[in-house]
Amino acid sequence: MSRPDWQREGRSWPNREASTFVRAGSHRWHVQRGGSGPRMLLLHGTGAATHSWGPIWPLLAERFTLLAPDLPGHGFTSPRASGILSLPYVSRAVADLLREEDFAPHYVLGHSAGAAIALRMALDGLIAPERIVALAGAILPIGGAARHLFPAAAKLLFLNPLVPSLMAWRARSTGAVDRMLAQTGSRIDARQRDLYASLFRHSSHVDAALALMANWDLEALARDLPQLETPLTLLVPEGDGFVPPAQQREVAKVVEGAEVRALPGLGHLAHEEDAEAVARAIEGVVADAIGE
């Protein structure tokens, strides 16, 4: 199974100077750390990696001390050590990393599936941040028949060892990557697009994305959400093509005190599409929370 190589794909990795490799738990993690100020943990979504934070990193680093890992099997972090990349497993793995790094976040910014990880960690007492910011959060199960179809389909793909290699091979077609990115509702620049294409050429990265989807049970998370005590802000891109804005707003109905802030004109990859607008929104959330 092919993996991204730090000496090859990593040569032009965004914010490479902030990168390091850390052994924690069952994984050798690729981590980026930098900035100054209150500590903020950044958790990317399924199929992405730390490159996703590339455009917004310098802006957030002016105000926060940032820690951003590649999730297990994604990017340059070593693949899963066992067969299950479930939401609880990934949450515990990230907690292992935080202990190793001695990093207790004041804030957590989770994009897409990264928001679900942040919430699971808070509910399980693995972190105690002052606030979680969910950006285009993939938090609730997909409605209707698709709720059962998509995880089942991902599981079938995951169990076929040829599928990750096949999907990685297909990613060599610029059209396949462009079609996938177009579905997000975002328009990202050529550099970000090329980084996604580079990752999806490697079967280990595709395998990890499929493994997450195959084992991603959001129903348990949805049942536990009313117990969340950590303040929650939902940043909702109005043009999100992956997670319907209405579904993201549903979260606010079950989490006491949760607030919703819209991001007009942006898609699922809002922070890559307009880093300045999203950084301003995040800084506004924190400023309001502390009464600045």
Side-chain angles (χ1 to χ4, degrees):
M1 186 175 291
S2 68
R3 294 181 55 192
D5 183 86
W6 184 245
Q7 300 307 319
R8 185 177 59 243
E9 286 84 2
R11 283 185 300 178
S12 58
W13 201 250
N15 307 301
R16 179 185 167 94
E17 68 282 357
S19 289
T20 187
F21 287 84
V22 178
R23 173 67 66 176
S26 300
H27 299 278
R28 181 175 183 264
W29 298 79
H30 170 238
V31 179
Q32 294 193 318
R33 188 166 183 169
S36 61
R39 294 180 296 274
M40 178 178 285
L41 172 65
L42 308 180
L43 297 172
H44 67 75
T46 306
T50 44
H51 80 282
S52 180
W53 306 114
I56 201 171
W57 179 278
L59 303 174
L60 294 179
E62 294 178 359
R63 171 133 190 202
F64 304 100
T65 298
L66 304 175
L67 180 73
D70 286 346
L71 293 178
H74 288 66
F76 301 97
T77 293
S78 66
R80 55 195 166 82
S82 63
I84 298 178
L85 273 187
S86 64
L87 180 53
Y89 174 88
V90 175
S91 298
R92 291 192 299 270
V94 173
D96 289 341
L97 173 65
L98 295 181
R99 282 193 294 272
E100 181 65 27
E101 289 288 276
D102 191 24
F103 192 91
H106 296 99
Y107 304 100
V108 183
L109 172 61
H111 174 245
S112 192
I117 296 168
L119 292 169
R120 185 73 271 166
M121 293 180 73
L123 286 163
D124 292 346
L126 299 173
I127 52 173
E130 296 174 17
R131 180 169 295 270
I132 292 173
V133 179
L135 172 60
I139 298 168
L140 296 179
I142 300 170
R147 171 185 296 186
H148 305 289
L149 173 62
F150 287 159
K155 189 165 294 185
L156 287 173
L157 293 173
F158 172 64
L159 292 174
N160 183 337
L162 296 178
V163 169
S165 295
L166 176 61
M167 292 186 68
W169 176 81
R170 282 177 54 82
R172 296 180 185 277
S173 162
T174 57
V177 175
D178 288 341
R179 285 191 295 273
M180 179 191 72
L181 293 174
Q183 292 172 9
T184 68
S186 289
R187 296 180 180 179
I188 60 175
D189 65 26
R191 186 189 187 197
Q192 290 297 107
R193 175 240 171 257
D194 289 346
L195 288 164
Y196 277 107
S198 174
L199 289 175
F200 275 90
R201 292 189 186 104
H202 294 281
S203 53
S204 66
H205 183 83
V206 176
D207 175 72
L210 286 173
L212 275 181
M213 288 188 287
N215 298 286
W216 209 243
D217 177 14
L218 292 179
E219 296 196 15
L221 178 63
R223 288 194 299 268
D224 292 343
L225 279 177
Q227 303 171 30
L228 183 70
E229 297 181 356
T230 305
L232 173 65
T233 297
L234 299 130
L235 295 181
V236 181
E238 295 291 357
D240 195 331
F242 270 11
V243 183
Q247 186 189 71
Q248 298 174 56
R249 289 188 170 90
E250 285 295 315
V251 176
K253 296 180 181 179
V254 298
V255 177
E256 184 177 356
E259 66 166 347
V260 175
R261 300 195 181 195
L263 298 173
L266 297 178
H268 190 68
L269 303 177
H271 56 305
E272 301 182 47
E273 189 177 11
D274 191 341
E276 290 189 4
V278 176
R280 285 197 303 271
I282 294 167
E283 290 168 0
V285 169
V286 172
D288 290 348
I290 62 178
E292 286 188 355

